[in-house]
Amino acid sequence: MTEPSTTLRTGFVGLGVMGRPMATRLLAAGFPTTVTSRTAAAVQELVRAGATAAATPGAVALASDVVLVMVPETADLEAVMEPPDGVLGGAHEALVIVAMGTHDPSAMPRLAARAAAVGAAFLDAPVSGGDVGAREGTLSIMVGGDETAFERARPVFEAMGSRVAHLGPSGAGQIAKAANQLIVGSTIEAVAEAFTLAARAGLDVARLRDVLDGGFAASRILEVHGRRMLDRDFTPGGRAQLHAKDARIILALADELGVDLPGFTPIAAAFQQLVDEGHGDLDHSALITLLERRSPGATAD
Amino acid sequence: MTEPSTTLRTGFVGLGVMGRPMATRLLAAGFPTTVTSRTAAAVQELVRAGATAAATPGAVALASDVVLVMVPETADLEAVMEPPDGVLGGAHEALVIVAMGTHDPSAMPRLAARAAAVGAAFLDAPVSGGDVGAREGTLSIMVGGDETAFERARPVFEAMGSRVAHLGPSGAGQIAKAANQLIVGSTIEAVAEAFTLAARAGLDVARLRDVLDGGFAASRILEVHGRRMLDRDFTPGGRAQLHAKDARIILALADELGVDLPGFTPIAAAFQQLVDEGHGDLDHSALITLLERRSPGATAD
């Protein structure tokens, strides 16, 4: 791991389930950090941990060398960027702006061009590993955009993640994240189907999970989300609603590139159905409840 | 691990990709082992490693306390059991017969009853972990059937696997294996779709695989089968044809239990299509080639 530069000032915009522990890691690594969020309580929590509060994203940018934006929707990101109060309103030549949420890849070059117009750099750097990885500083961070800007921001990434990779030009991080979410969503559905089938056949699903974990079925999802399914604990974690949004990004990207996704397409529909039935705020592992409703009598607990 | 009993004599019927390294582990663990197989070269290899050759499965059974049968199809298993030359022809009161292939769960109680009629015990004990796990003795072994017989055979299982679980009555091991194959097949398809999408978008897929491996997309499949996809090395491993057979078992079980499998159903069809197009002898990770043919221009290498 690179030694964090004591002169690199960081900023954080968006202190939700992911942003809060990520900003906490920056403070713990010794970066002077300025924060803002729609949630006053989250700002206060970070201030108690040593952060400086700012009124607007623009003010955060003005006080920072690297400003990280962690908001859920691409529209939220665009709103948070907009001058005069947004990040671009406080942009300067030393600034690297980093979009860490999961966003539409095609929006990234557009935002990078707007940043470049005011002399700033813009990277897309979505993450995987969930709130657990954010707390432990073990996220995977997938970066797209200018490589020089990536190298400048690298110590900041390394304070939050154990795998940091530059994957290509603006948008490449988001494409990698789309690939990630495709695998994560598909694996959640696979574990949910396997558990539902086994439960319905009368097997002890906890014992099944343990033995599956030693073979080719082993995955981080079987471990973490399989546990959530067994415990019937669907506190997010990753909200189903966000995964439904990610699924739309994945299908749009596949459509644009002419790639057929026979496995993921019905899973995208399942996430949307979960949202439509009013369960969008549950963890994405709640896909199993949809299966159970479709297959009366089958439960994994 | 339990100390192998020096008096427990093992037998092995079926020395294919999986059976050969599994029988080799038994010899290495000190079990006197009698073997037979349709392939004379495989028998010779095991004899050189210290095994005794027998002419028929019945002769193997006669010389053994625990006889392991590792054949691909349920029909093969039934043929290998059939007296006078089959395992049941050499059955005796001290014998535990173990079916280690992936078979139709509903056939297990039927074979167990036939074994019981001649005083022998019958367990189903399919495995996961592939030829790699077989060589290293780190298989997951999922056992169904009489618990006393399971305890008698346990030292033999522990010579081949690092996770050994008794999951319930006759057929329970096969149901667990169906759950395993559902997850494995779905995860292979998910990794193949993610790689194809990313490759088509211009990403370096090797670098992508490395960063995905640090987040929630991490799995044994991403590691092992993802590597095979990158290397375009579709030497089995697990043949697509066998996974197509497993898929039929899974769908039949789901149908019988009234469980809806929206994610796995199209993947079962993809495995069958791979077989129909003449690629059944390739490793199951060759699912990616089907996707690439459906999405012209996209390759992961």
Side-chain angles (χ1 to χ4, degrees):
Chain A
M1 196 196 256
T2 311
E3 191 64 25
S5 158
T6 48
T7 58
L8 209 54
R9 300 164 305 156
T10 64
F12 217 105
V13 177
L15 300 170
V17 171
M18 292 296 290
R20 221 154 47 235
M22 290 166 75
T24 304
R25 297 283 318 174
L26 296 182
L27 288 165
F31 294 108
T33 303
T34 307
V35 302
T36 196
S37 181
R38 284 181 301 193
T39 318
V43 173
Q44 285 316 308
E45 185 186 321
L46 268 292
V47 166
R48 279 195 297 274
T52 304
T56 65
V60 170
L62 208 56
S64 304
D65 300 305
V66 178
V67 60
L68 311 175
V69 183
M70 190 51 149
V71 294
E73 306 277 349
T74 306
D76 299 331
L77 171 66
E78 283 165 338
V80 148
M81 289 286 282
E82 204 59 33
D85 284 350
V87 173
L88 289 172
H92 49 89
E93 301 244 323
L95 185 68
V96 181
I97 306 164
V98 189
M100 303 204 72
T102 302
H103 302 300
D104 179 0
S106 67
M108 300 298 105
R110 213 158 59 222
L111 288 168
R114 290 193 63 194
V118 292
F122 179 92
L123 301 171
D124 52 299
V127 304
S128 182
D131 52 327
V132 186
R135 276 195 300 277
E136 295 172 355
T138 58
L139 293 169
S140 274
I141 306 181
M142 297 156 262
V143 190
D146 179 70
E147 201 151 3
T148 311
F150 168 68
E151 288 304 334
R152 272 157 62 202
R154 189 196 276 273
V156 176
F157 292 137
E158 291 183 343
M160 298 181 292
S162 50
R163 301 217 189 181
V164 179
H166 182 262
L167 291 150
S170 187
Q174 296 297 348
I175 290 164
K177 181 64 191 283
N180 183 84
Q181 291 304 84
L182 191 164
I183 295 175
V184 169
S186 300
T187 313
I188 289 174
E189 174 69 17
V191 170
E193 292 186 3
F195 280 14
T196 304
L197 190 67
R200 185 62 172 265
L203 261 62
D204 177 332
V205 180
R207 202 180 291 184
L208 173 71
R209 174 177 163 279
D210 186 55
V211 71
L212 292 182
D213 193 43
F216 275 151
S219 68
R220 187 99 173 103
I221 295 297
L222 180 66
E223 187 190 333
V224 175
H225 299 77
R227 166 55 51 205
R228 289 177 190 166
M229 292 177 203
L230 284 173
D231 293 345
R232 316 304 289 181
D233 178 4
F234 301 122
T235 316
R239 285 191 293 139
Q241 189 164 357
L242 289 181
H243 216 130
K245 180 257 300 182
D246 298 348
R248 287 193 297 275
I249 291 174
I250 293 163
L251 295 184
L253 183 64
D255 189 53
E256 183 194 322
L257 296 170
V259 176
D260 196 18
L261 303 180
F264 187 69
T265 303
I267 294 163
F271 276 119
Q272 189 54 49
Q273 191 182 339
L274 198 60
V275 172
D276 292 345
E277 292 181 6
H279 305 293
D281 282 329
L282 298 183
D283 187 71
H284 43 180
S285 56
L287 265 191
I288 195 170
T289 65
L290 186 68
L291 273 181
E292 288 165 351
R293 285 192 293 278
R294 285 176 171 196
S295 312
T299 57
D301 62 346
Chain B
M1 197 194 255
T2 311
E3 193 64 24
S5 159
T6 48
T7 57
L8 210 52
R9 299 163 305 153
T10 64
F12 217 105
V13 177
L15 299 170
V17 171
M18 293 297 291
R20 220 154 48 235
M22 289 165 75
T24 304
R25 297 280 321 171
L26 296 182
L27 289 165
F31 293 107
T33 304
T34 308
V35 302
T36 195
S37 181
R38 284 181 302 194
T39 318
V43 173
Q44 285 317 307
E45 185 186 322
L46 269 292
V47 166
R48 278 194 299 273
T52 304
T56 65
V60 171
L62 208 55
S64 305
D65 300 305
V66 178
V67 59
L68 311 175
V69 183
M70 189 51 150
V71 294
E73 305 278 348
T74 306
D76 298 332
L77 171 66
E78 283 165 338
V80 148
M81 289 287 284
E82 204 58 35
D85 285 350
V87 173
L88 289 172
H92 49 90
E93 302 246 323
L95 185 67
V96 182
I97 305 164
V98 189
M100 303 205 72
T102 302
H103 302 300
D104 179 359
S106 67
M108 301 298 105
R110 213 159 57 222
L111 289 168
R114 290 193 63 193
V118 291
F122 178 92
L123 301 172
D124 52 301
V127 304
S128 182
D131 53 326
V132 186
R135 276 195 301 278
E136 295 172 354
T138 57
L139 293 169
S140 274
I141 305 181
M142 296 156 263
V143 189
D146 180 70
E147 200 152 4
T148 310
F150 167 69
E151 290 303 335
R152 271 157 61 203
R154 188 195 277 275
V156 177
F157 292 137
E158 290 182 344
M160 299 182 291
S162 49
R163 300 214 190 183
V164 178
H166 182 261
L167 290 150
S170 187
Q174 296 297 349
I175 290 165
K177 181 65 191 282
N180 183 84
Q181 291 304 83
L182 191 165
I183 295 175
V184 169
S186 300
T187 313
I188 289 174
E189 175 69 16
V191 170
E193 292 187 2
F195 280 13
T196 304
L197 191 66
R200 184 63 172 265
L203 261 62
D204 177 332
V205 179
R207 201 181 292 185
L208 173 72
R209 174 178 162 279
D210 186 56
V211 70
L212 292 182
D213 193 44
F216 275 150
S219 68
R220 187 99 174 102
I221 296 297
L222 180 67
E223 187 191 332
V224 176
H225 300 76
R227 166 56 51 207
R228 289 176 190 166
M229 293 178 203
L230 282 173
D231 293 346
R232 315 304 289 180
D233 179 4
F234 302 122
T235 315
R239 284 192 294 139
Q241 188 163 0
L242 289 180
H243 216 129
K245 180 257 300 180
D246 299 348
R248 287 192 296 275
I249 291 174
I250 294 163
L251 294 185
L253 182 65
D255 189 52
E256 183 194 321
L257 297 169
V259 176
D260 195 18
L261 303 179
F264 187 70
T265 302
I267 294 163
F271 276 119
Q272 190 52 51
Q273 192 182 338
L274 198 60
V275 172
D276 293 343
E277 292 182 5
H279 305 293
D281 282 330
L282 298 183
D283 186 72
H284 42 179
S285 57
L287 265 191
I288 195 170
T289 64
L290 187 67
L291 272 182
E292 289 165 351
R293 285 192 291 280
R294 285 175 173 199
S295 312
T299 56
D301 63 344

